[in-house]
Amino acid sequence: MSSVHRTSRPRLRGDIDIPGDKSISHRAVIFNAVATGSARITNFLTGADCLSTISCARALGVEVAQEDGEVHVRGVGLRGLREPADVLDCGNSGTTLRLLAGLLAGTSIFTVLTGDASLRSRPQRRIVEPLRALGAQIDGRQSGDRAPLAVRGGSLRGGAYRLPVASAQVKSALLLAALGGSGPLTLSGRIDSRDHTERMLIAMGVDLQIGPDEIILHPPTHPVLPYPLSLRVPGDLSSAAFWWVAAAIHPDAELTTLGVCLNPTRTGALDVLGTMGAAITITNQRIEGSEPVGDVTVRSSHLRGTIIDRALIPRLIDEIPILAIAAACAEGETVVRDAQELRAKESDRIATVAAGLTALGVEVEPAHDGMTIMGLGGPALCGAALQSHHDHRLAMAWAVASLVASGETTITDPESTAVSYPGFWETLREIER
Ligand code: S3P
């Protein structure tokens, strides 16, 4: 396995164009695939996960063209999807597998969805059980809890489902299944995950009512989304967050991330860094498509420990590995709790983050639903040999740690960053100059 060797850097400066948001890029392809007409998507994330979505859409008979950094999708409606000749390979992407499983459950075709070893080890009962309750015929290994998942499309009914976990993938899978259903679907419970699906479906003409405690989707009269959605995908906050923490923990840094999606269901990391004392300025705030966007500048800061729990968790779930690096360099203790979802990500991020921090010389106490991190009171990490566990967000968190660690830091599998941030290592080199 390849690895990268790194040492700390004296100064960080730069304006960084943030690549397109991963969640929105996936949805732009999947939703437009079942719309009427053609859509043009710019700033599409060409990370491996979103390329998996494109190749699955093509295997389902949807025309998707990629030219000059743009993606063009020609919608075929739910009934126009073609039964693929082979299994659909979702690679490392949970979003591809779960959203497609929901969508395909309400079509008239048979599909098998699978992915790499990491994706095949992640829990799927969370979508399979509620989809079955809507009438879906879906099965998989371990009674349907592990991919490959076999989906025999058919007619679904509406109904009501109380979401037990705040998961946008589960929420979206059910909303997509309901598009092909015979009656309305009401979702309640933990509907407080990222809301890109709701924003985009509404922009595409779907009858979706969103209240504080429930979401009600009325299926369109014809099995097709009324309008295509052309958009510029805003920058991914989850990618920008690596640079925010790099600037905040580094003694001589000022970094500006340009065009970042500031959807309030995603901005928990900004709130936490603000509470920790990070010097953050947000400028150029605007609305792009259905999403709020802005430029975020972070400068060298003296950070204090904090508590990350409850309603904050779904708003920063993907940022916990990089926030753990901020916590490690802060004054005092940081407690993360209510975050058991971390165990079901690309790696078990409670175990893998705790192991990496320990190697960097930080005292950590893992718990079933989070961890307590004893901050070093400054950027006093010790260089170490760190494992990425094929998890893109771990590789990037360790790269940020290496900017302030003494001695040499070795990071395994640096290529894994391509899953969500194809130009990560190049940008890192540019800001170190
Ligand atoms: C995503 C939802 C989140 C997130 C993942 C992307 C999405 O997962 O961790 O990276 O695009 O819907 P969960 O829905 O499992 O919380």
Side-chain angles (χ1 to χ4, degrees), residues 7-146:
T7 50
S8 65
R9 293 295 191 273
R11 190 172 180 270
L12 305 179
R13 289 289 184 282
D15 290 349
I16 305 166
D17 281 318
I18 297 297
D21 185 85
K22 183 156 80 70
S23 294
I24 298 175
S25 295
H26 283 298
R27 287 162 173 77
V29 171
I30 296 172
F31 300 177
N32 278 306
V34 292
T36 356
S38 296
R40 170 172 170 256
I41 306 154
T42 57
N43 202 38
F44 180 86
L45 176 66
T46 52
D49 269 13
C50 300
L51 297 181
S52 295
T53 290
I54 289 188
S55 70
C56 290
R58 285 185 178 140
L60 288 160
V62 180
E63 233 180 85
V64 185
Q66 269 182 283
E67 18 179 277
D68 305 329
E70 291 186 4
V71 170
H72 297 255
V73 183
R74 191 190 291 272
V76 296
L78 276 167
R79 299 281 172 265
L81 295 175
R82 188 183 67 201
E83 191 164 90
D86 203 345
V87 298
L88 295 174
D89 184 359
C90 304
N92 190 243
S93 175
T95 308
T96 309
L97 185 133
R98 294 190 177 126
L99 268 58
L100 284 180
L103 181 79
L104 293 166
T107 63
S108 50
I109 59 176
F110 173 76
T111 45
V112 178
L113 296 149
T114 192
D116 67 10
S118 149
L119 185 54
R120 280 181 280 114
S121 72
R122 296 176 66 182
Q124 305 304 339
R125 186 165 294 130
R126 52 182 56 207
I127 56 160
V128 169
E129 267 178 5
L131 286 172
R132 282 177 180 158
L134 297 179
Q137 289 185 57
I138 174 164
D139 210 345
R141 291 186 302 131
Q142 298 185 24
S143 309
D145 194 32
R146 294 287 188 277

Side-chain angles (χ1 to χ4, degrees), residues 13 24 91 106 115-116 144 149 186 209 223 263 273 308 376 404 423 430:
R13 289 289 184 282
I24 298 175
D116 67 10
L149 295 183
T186 303
Q209 290 152 25
N263 177 318
L273 287 171
I308 307 175
L376 297 165
V404 297
E430 281 161 23

